[in-house]
Structures are given as structure tokens and as C-alpha cells.
Amino acid sequence: MQIFKVGGAVRDRLLGKPVTDIDWVVVGATTQEMLAKGYRPVGADFPVFLHPKSGEEYALARTERKSGRGYGGFTFHASPEVTLEEDLIRRDLTINAMAEDDQQNLTDPYDGQRDLEARILRHVSPAFAEDPLRVLRVARFAARYAGLGFTVAPETLELMRQLSESGELEALTAERSWKEISRALMEDQPQVFIQVLRDCGALKVLMPEVDALFGVPQPEAHHPEIDTGLHTLSVLEQSALHKQPLTVRWACLLHDLGKGLTPEEQWPRHIAHEHTGLKLIKAVNERFKAPKDCQELALLVGKYHTHGHRALELKASTLLELLQSFDVYRRPQRFEEFIAACEMDARGRKGLEQRSYPQADYLRGAAKAAREVAVQPLLEKGFKGPELGEALKRERLKALKAYKENA
């Protein structure tokens, strides 16, 4: 019985990055031996055990064979005869197919260390093309390590392209896809994730609404980068640079989907794209079963982001409608995230990344003015029910008019 540290823990140690999750593989052991040593079984599909003291996961070395469609279409075989090399060959990338013993002696049968040094994301074996989830995983690793100079090997990109064209991506569950997408959006360079998916044809399959934005022009006066797809990538890049949460990053990705529906004869203008895009944002939200807070913010940002940009020009009544739509009285954080998404949109334009966004503080001030309208005096005047709501609205409108005059 031999125990090896494998995968990401080995990769990140060699890269000099902090090691968080550790995966262990046990070679030459049976389930009975693991149980006898106090390990607790947790794996339903294949033998995985929790260490009796540390609680870390230890998996028996195993092989796998394609037996159906999609991420779950595999049969696994674990036995004491399975070698470490056989276990490692079923992994996705060479940089994830290394192992080390307790003395940090490296086992690297597929040249992962060489690819690590060359900054290449390369598949381990042709079996890579059997698992559609690997398309998303490789794109996510590309986003994570882009800052270190990593790129996807051309032959791996070709296999990803074949997978994208095979229909296998459609077999992925919403839950598995969202797990990879949400993790990728929180990487340092999430725009690389979208770009790699586009390069291999997967974006067209998974998010045709986003893919349709590439090649669609916008007015150069407002968008020096012109291309709507490139603008979307830039907005996503800004959201990562400014450490925005997942809700904001998701909204940034989807905010301009309506521009993909603009008839060519109307280019580069996109009249009412905020409204035409809502059905597309809703469709993407539902396809991946995005969490409720991500869904809500994406729809609100899609509908109102141009209001955010024109905040200083909005009438007091329009400002009030905007604040009411976000329920800023009970959910102030959601409005704060909307402001952040608008600012990322404004900065995600070629050459304008550093410009100021006075609309942000103006909108915060408007929300504060509306929130400070007290209910108690109205209750004391005898207002109740719907009448109280109307009276409160009138007072808030008055407060916003005063705010505009003094701003």
C-alpha cells in the first residue's frame, strides 16, 4: 500500500503557489484494508475514503472507460493491481497528472513538469475527448493561469473543438456547467475563459447569445473598441481587476445580450437593446440554473445599465422608479452591485479603463436621500395602507428633487 499526493497540490507547489486542496491516491490497497485502518467510505461511484484524523479524501487508484454520454458516462475499475501511471493517465492535463510521495519524489510519466515550465495546457491522452466537462475545465485553467503566461496547446484546442462539435456538450447538466462557469468567472482573468470557449466553438453551443455579440459593431464615439464581443470581454476583465463578486461578474457577462439581436441595417446603433436583451438573459439564467441573486442582478443590470450611465441627467421621477425597481430600502446591497456593474461597463472600453465614474456616488447619494424619508410623520398624519405608500412616494420624490438641485 503506497500513498501519493496528486493533481493540483503537486502542480501548485511546483508553481510556487499556495496549496489549498490536497488529493491523495492510494495504490495497492483494497477497500477492506482501508476500512481496517479506520478510513470512512464516502464514494458512491468509486472507492473514496476520509482519513480517520485529517478528514481529507483518499481515493483508490482506478481506471475508467467511456460507457455513455456526458460527464457521468463512465465506468470505473479500482483494484490493488491498478498502477499509479494508470491512475494518472485518466486525468485531463499533463500538469494535473503528476504525483509525489511523502519525500516529495516526483512521478511524472506524462511530462507535466516540462509543460509547466513551458506554460502549456496539454491533454494527457486521447481519452481527454471522452469527457465534455473537460472543455470547461481547460478554459477555466486558462483563465486561472493566463497571468503566468499559460496557453492551450493547439492539439488540445483541436480536441476541444471536436468535443464542441460532437453534441457531447449538450449532455452536461446545468449544475455541472454552472459549477465550472461560476468558478471560472471568479478567476483572475475570466475573460480568457470566454475567449477559449469561443476559440474551440464551445461558446456557440453553451451560450450562443454571448457568442452572437462578436462581430457586432457599436458607435465608436462611445465604444472605441467597436466590437460588442470584445467590449463584453473587457467589462468582464474590469470586474476581475476590481475584485467584484460573482453576481456582478455574471451581470457583466450578460448585460449587452440585446445587441446581438439588432438588425444589421441599424448597426452600429442598438435602440432599446436593454429591453430586447431581457428574454436572452432570462434564457441563459435558466439554462444554467444560476443562483437567484445572480439571475436577479443580471436582469436588472440588463434593463437599467443605461440609466446608470445617464444618472446625472435623469428626472427625479425616473430616479425614483429606478430606486423602487431595486427595492433599495430593504435591499441596499443589490443596488450597490448594480452601480458596480455599471462602472465596470463604463470602464470596459478601449482606452477608457481609468476614467472616473461620477454616476456611482451620485446614485449612492440619491438612494441615501430616498431612504432617509421617515415613515413615522406620515403615520402620525393618519396615512395607512395604499395611501401611506403613495404619501411615502411623494415625499421621496420631493427628497430626490431637492437632492438633484443641490448635487
Side-chain angles (χ1 to χ4, degrees), residues 235 238 242 244 252 309 337-349 353 355-357 360-361 364:
V235 176
Q238 289 297 315
H242 289 84
Q244 299 296 348
C252 285
H309 301 328
E337 290 178 354
F338 164 73
I339 293 170
C342 290
E343 184 169 353
M344 298 308 101
D345 182 24
R347 289 177 182 272
R349 301 165 198 231
E353 296 86 356
R355 72 170 173 182
S356 62
Y357 194 69
D361 282 339
R364 289 187 189 104

Side-chain angles (χ1 to χ4, degrees), residues 36-37 53 65-66 68-69 115 125 142 156 160 204 218 223 227-228 236 255 266 291 324 347 375-376 387:
K37 289 179 181 293
K53 290 180 181 172
R65 187 168 52 83
K66 183 77 168 167
R69 285 189 81 209
D115 285 342
S125 77
T156 303
M160 292 164 70
K204 190 165 53 182
Q218 305 165 104
H223 288 276
D227 188 287
T228 309
L236 204 48
H255 78 284
Q266 292 179 20
Q324 305 272 80
R347 289 177 182 272
V375 181
Q376 193 59 35
E387 287 181 347

